[in-house]
């Protein structure tokens, strides 16, 4: 199940918020899950960070387990950060952008 507080927070706070309800930051593994998250980015008209982080190889993003993400929905010309944008945000159209980790984004959790 995908849920959102409707609040924008720093990424570490989002992690804490999700853990506090027994979940974790939402990380889409297929189109259905991606749509479940984008429902909230549309509803609140905010971008959301996903539970992905760039690994040692630039442009390759990992689940919290350390496994590289198999499913991706990059926006056109993304990921563009070449190792400098270590987090992943979802736009309101459901596409992804690699982004610095220092923004405030909509908290979306999976349970
Ligand atoms: Ca980018």
């Amino acid at each position: 199940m995908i849920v959102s507080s409707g609040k924008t927070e720093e990424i570490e706070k989002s992690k804490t918020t999700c853990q506090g309800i027994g979940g974790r930051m939402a990380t889409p593994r297929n189109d259905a899950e991606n749509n479940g998250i984008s429902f909230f980015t549309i509803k609140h008209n905010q971008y959301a960070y996903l539970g992905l982080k760039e690994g040692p190889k630039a442009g390759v993003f990992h689940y919290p387990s350390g496994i590289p993400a198999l499913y991706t929905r990059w926006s056109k010309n993304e990921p563009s950060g070449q190792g400098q944008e270590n987090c992943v945000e979802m736009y309101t159209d459901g596409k992804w952008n690699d982004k610095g980790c220092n923004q405030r984004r909509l908290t979306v959790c999976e349970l």
Side-chain angles (χ1 to χ4, degrees):
M1 186 170 61
I2 310 287
V3 298
S4 174
S5 65
K7 290 183 191 158
T8 55
E9 299 176 310
E10 292 171 3
I11 193 163
E12 290 303 325
K13 182 71 170 59
S14 292
K15 277 182 199 165
T16 305
T17 298
C18 291
Q19 285 165 4
I21 58 170
R24 55 186 177 181
M25 288 184 67
T27 308
R29 290 167 173 79
N30 53 52
D31 280 347
E33 292 180 4
N34 205 71
N35 290 341
I37 300 166
S38 70
F39 170 84
F40 291 105
T41 62
I42 293 165
K43 179 181 178 184
H44 298 291
N45 195 30
Q46 296 283 346
Y47 299 168
Y49 278 130
L50 303 175
L52 290 166
K53 195 122 197 215
E54 194 164 31
K57 189 170 191 293
V60 179
F61 290 78
H62 293 208
Y63 299 121
S65 62
I67 296 170
L70 299 173
Y71 171 86
T72 59
R73 280 291 297 275
W74 295 114
S75 193
K76 195 173 188 311
N77 301 325
E78 302 296 344
S80 64
Q82 302 183 337
Q84 302 302 308
E85 297 178 329
N86 303 135
C87 288
V88 178
E89 65 181 0
M90 178 186 281
Y91 291 147
T92 47
D93 68 358
K95 300 285 180 57
W96 304 1
N97 171 38
D98 60 337
K99 184 75 177 176
C101 302
N102 58 345
Q103 305 296 307
R104 292 173 68 91
R105 292 289 180 254
L106 181 67
T107 296
V108 184
C109 310
E110 62 186 25
L111 299 175

